[in-house]
Amino acid sequence: MKIEAIDPDSYEAAIPGLGALLKDAIDGGASVNFIAGVTLEQTEGWWRARAARVTDGTITVFVARDDDGRIFGSTLIERSVNPNSPHRAEIGKVIVHRSIRRQGVARALMAAAEERARAEGRWMLILDTVAGSAAAALYEALGWVTVGTIPAYALNTAGEPEPATYYYKDLR
């Protein structure tokens, strides 16, 4: 397994793999921005819509690749651009392909994202996930602190409202 930050010049080439990964997660029931029936065109479009922010350095995408270079995991850091929060960033799209879950990939991706954030002086990190999910358990095991849960925050893949829990982690 190789974890890497995608260089802005390589981002466009990574979009098909990122789109396939996102589609796999949604097809497996993960509540990540879409509901069931999502197309590869839509998931690639989600990643493509972030290209300008990858280019300007607001977003850094991390991926896990196999020996053949295929993407089987992702996460991203989205840095706050507000003058009053140069120390803050949001973690998002922590996704691992269904075929390789529970093998430490998400942990490795989170470690890489946290390391980059810390190196940049981004010590206050935030994220959200489906309340009570396997992801929530992972974040709690990694030392993320629960802020609270919002009921009916987003629709799950079946189109039903489900709660989301917000977390923070202070890297100082």
Side-chain angles (χ1 to χ4, degrees):
M1 169 175 58
K2 179 182 177 189
I3 305 293
E4 66 182 58
I6 297 178
D7 181 276
D9 295 334
S10 304
Y11 184 70
E12 184 66 32
I15 288 175
L18 289 165
L21 177 66
L22 181 54
K23 184 174 183 340
D24 175 75
I26 296 157
D27 289 348
S31 178
V32 235
N33 297 96
F34 294 96
I35 59 173
V38 68
T39 66
L40 195 53
E41 182 180 332
Q42 289 171 310
T43 58
E44 287 180 8
W46 188 92
W47 288 102
R48 194 164 280 109
R50 278 129 190 93
R53 288 183 281 167
V54 169
T55 299
D56 73 16
T58 302
I59 293 176
T60 298
V61 177
F62 296 85
V63 295
R65 293 185 187 268
D66 65 17
D67 292 337
D68 295 324
R70 288 184 300 255
I71 295 172
F72 61 84
S74 71
T75 192
L76 61 81
I77 298 174
E78 185 163 2
R79 297 156 184 87
S80 174
V81 296
N82 299 321
N84 69 340
S85 53
H87 60 289
R88 191 176 73 222
E90 184 170 357
I91 302 292
K93 293 298 171 282
V94 182
I95 302 171
V96 177
H97 195 276
R98 287 181 286 170
S99 67
I100 196 164
R101 288 190 184 148
R102 308 206 57 79
Q103 295 183 40
V105 177
R107 239 176 229 280
L109 287 161
M110 290 296 289
E114 289 179 19
E115 182 180 321
R116 171 70 64 89
R118 186 180 293 108
E120 295 177 357
R122 302 279 179 166
W123 48 265
M124 179 55 65
L125 302 180
I126 60 172
L127 61 78
D128 69 272
T129 194
V130 176
S133 65
L138 170 69
Y139 302 140
E140 291 167 15
L142 294 175
W144 287 74
V145 179
T146 302
V147 175
T149 300
I150 302 171
Y153 183 75
L155 301 181
N156 62 21
T157 56
E160 302 163 345
E162 64 185 356
T165 300
Y166 273 79
Y167 295 89
Y168 77 91
K169 190 169 188 180
D170 187 332
L171 300 178
R172 291 179 292 181

